[in-house]
Amino acid sequence: MANTLDHSPVRDQTKHGAPRLDAVIVGAGFSGLYLAYRLRKLGLSVRVFEAGGDVGGTWYWNRYPGARCDIESLDYAFSFERELIDDWNWTERYAKQSDILAYLNHVADRFDLRRLITLDTRVTALTYDEGAETWTVATAAGVVASATYVIMATGCLSAARIPDFPGRDTFAGATYHTGNWPHGGVDFAGQRVAVIGTGSSGIQSIPIIAEAAAQLTVFQRTPNFVAPAWNHVLAEGAAAELRAQYPTRRDANRASFFGVDLPANPKNAVDCSPDEQQETLERYWAMGGLAMLACFADVIINAESNKIVADFVRAKIRAVVTDPEVAQRLTPTNHTYGTKRPPVGTDYYETYNRENVELIDVNATPIEAITPTGIRTSERDFAFDSIVYATGFDAMTGALLAVDIRGVDGQSLREKWAAGPRAYLGIACAGFPNLFLVTGPGSPSVLSNMVTSIEQHVDWITDAIAHARERGIARFEASRAAEDAWVEHVNVVAHYTLYPHTDSWYTGANIPGKPRIFMPYIGGVGAYREHCAKIAAKEYEGFVLTAPASVA
Ligand SMILES: Cc1cc2nc3c(=O)[nH]c(=O)nc-3n(C[C@H](O)[C@H](O)[C@H](O)COP(=O)(O)OP(=O)(O)OC[C@H]3O[C@@H](n4cnc5c(N)ncnc54)[C@H](O)[C@@H]3O)c2cc1C
């Protein structure tokens, strides 16, 4: 399936015989595809390196049963070309994985991007050569290219993680990670299955695995607040009607807080009467999806208001789950509503009423080991045919730090980020010229509709590169002072909210030893976007733009 480099408009070769390019893009998901489209249009020689066997990123890897987006399909799609929008017919309110993957394949074909992509190729090292003012790009097999610009489109949720349980490799049955699911699917019929983890992927897959398996045992560390998706097939004509509103709808998304135009209630929960609170909560619950985040203006900033929302969801759990002890175990008590990514589910709580489903709280009875036959907790030995790890990702920094990135003076990104990620606007790092991050730490990123944020970053990076090229600028680099000030701002804004107080993958708390920092920017997509536009309008304030060494 791997493409060759032959079709790339290569200027010349490095001493390694590898192509010398204007830009290398790492990753071929939403970000990498759109970057390839934009940078090629700018006239750059471009090559995309993708570790996977095909395009699609998240939607190539996460093929677990029930995988689908939790942003409505119409909003979780590119907006950069009207014909592309009109071309594609989303059939469900929330598109399933296979539909999103088909869409991204369509994008690759429609814009003839495949010729720019080298598949099955994991970039392992990026080294900045100050003399040549280029990046050397290497894989395990050696140098594959050099480039003036490198853009990391490696994804915020692409470094799948399996906890280091003792005996993990001794299990004789089948083992799966939701983020690296077999392409042919898995038939769990008649099996005793374990699912470890109850984050978004667990929540989507558990109801479907429960239907197929003879017995399902769920190992839960942290119960989540799961809102109903109320997913449905879009009625005939509905998609076309929605598409007609598309320009306005997308503008609203861009200006919104979460990158999707949720029906925001301007009122604070604490200012409403109990009756009004209840009526509002029921109304937002009935909308489904992420709407609950917008049910009151102060949900994520006021602990008292947050408790009103959290108590409402807790009551919903008790109303569905028939066994009060199980309901209690499923009820979140150690974090506030919305400060972990709010999962959206279908029949999630109902699944625990099934005869063939058991819920184990690993706080009460920790997993001690994976054994050849199954899982041993402090209380019991369980026998399984399959173990599904729904244990998530080393989020936001995992895929970036998996690459040995060395900038000016050989400084490594791993060293620079040892105490937590630092990036100006979440886009660029001091000491790493001409290297850009898409939806990096310090940008709204995973707190938003990612497609809105990806398009904004790709557009901004493309404009920055065009600006540099037009003015003969060789080095485009964030200044240390601007980076420090931005990191401080991200932190200050985060502490106006309840987010930093919750252990989550937003704070790196799911990875032992990872610095505990709230990584994304919670200032809101609209405000962030305006700020980035102002920086660009001020000739890229906070960046140091340097002429080529030869003419400096
Ligand atoms: C199950 C799941 C559901 C999600 N649902 C939503 C949703 O509903 N709404 C939403 O906004 N977001 C959602 N997300 C987040 C999702 O990741 C983004 O929306 C979006 O797909 C990210 O696109 P991307 O191109 O930036 O990164 P990705 O799609 O992650 O693509 C990155 C690519 O880079 C490749 N790569 C990484 N490192 C290297 C390397 N060193 N060398 C070569 N290739 C490399 C990876 O193989 C991957 O294919 C979800 C994520 C998951 C895991």
Side-chain angles (χ1 to χ4, degrees), residues 31-281:
S31 302
L33 291 174
Y34 184 39
L35 272 163
Y37 169 84
R38 288 296 318 265
L39 295 183
R40 182 185 57 189
K41 218 167 173 187
L42 206 60
L44 269 63
S45 57
V46 177
R47 175 115 317 254
V48 183
F49 292 105
E50 166 55 57
D54 210 339
V55 302
T58 290
W59 306 101
Y60 169 84
W61 296 104
N62 291 263
R63 298 168 188 243
Y64 60 83
R68 59 176 72 243
C69 56
D70 54 19
I71 299 282
E72 293 193 29
S73 319
L74 266 285
D75 299 306
Y76 191 70
F78 286 124
S79 69
F80 64 84
E81 207 207 57
R82 182 71 222 187
E83 289 77 29
L84 173 63
I85 296 163
D86 292 337
D87 240 24
W88 194 261
N89 200 30
W90 296 107
T91 55
E92 290 182 78
R93 181 182 185 194
Y94 299 104
K96 56 180 180 292
Q97 170 271 332
S98 55
D99 286 351
I100 305 172
L101 184 60
Y103 169 75
L104 289 171
N105 273 278
H106 169 73
V107 170
D109 291 332
R110 181 185 169 90
F111 298 107
D112 193 19
L113 300 175
R114 287 189 197 277
R115 64 174 63 222
L116 303 177
I117 303 171
T118 305
L119 299 169
D120 295 312
T121 304
R122 182 171 290 281
V123 171
T124 53
L126 293 164
T127 313
Y128 189 64
D129 178 337
E130 274 192 81
E133 289 167 331
T134 55
W135 284 92
T136 303
V137 181
T139 68
V143 173
V144 287
S146 81
T148 308
Y149 301 100
V150 172
I151 306 100
M152 302 302 282
T154 42
C156 295
L157 299 169
S158 60
R161 175 192 173 254
I162 297 188
D164 202 9
F165 294 119
R168 199 179 74 182
D169 301 326
T170 63
F171 181 57
T175 300
Y176 308 97
H177 189 286
T178 48
N180 190 3
W181 201 257
H183 289 197
V186 180
D187 182 5
F188 289 115
Q191 291 197 12
R192 298 157 302 171
V193 181
V195 173
I196 304 178
T198 53
S200 292
S201 306
I203 286 158
Q204 287 187 331
S205 59
I206 283 164
I208 298 174
I209 296 175
E211 277 174 19
Q215 172 66 34
L216 171 64
T217 309
V218 177
F219 293 85
Q220 171 192 270
R221 184 176 59 181
T222 312
N224 263 300
F225 295 99
V226 184
W230 309 130
N231 185 37
H232 53 80
V233 169
L234 293 172
E236 195 137 327
E241 208 173 291
L242 289 169
R243 276 204 301 270
Q245 310 157 3
Y246 213 80
T248 336
R249 188 171 169 134
R250 271 307 175 112
D251 283 346
N253 286 350
R254 290 186 194 105
S256 71
F257 193 83
F258 289 112
V260 60
D261 189 24
L262 300 173
N265 180 0
K267 287 190 172 171
N268 292 331
V270 282
D271 298 335
C272 300
S273 68
D275 280 353
E276 189 177 356
Q277 286 167 358
Q278 202 57 24
E279 179 279 322
T280 306
L281 287 162

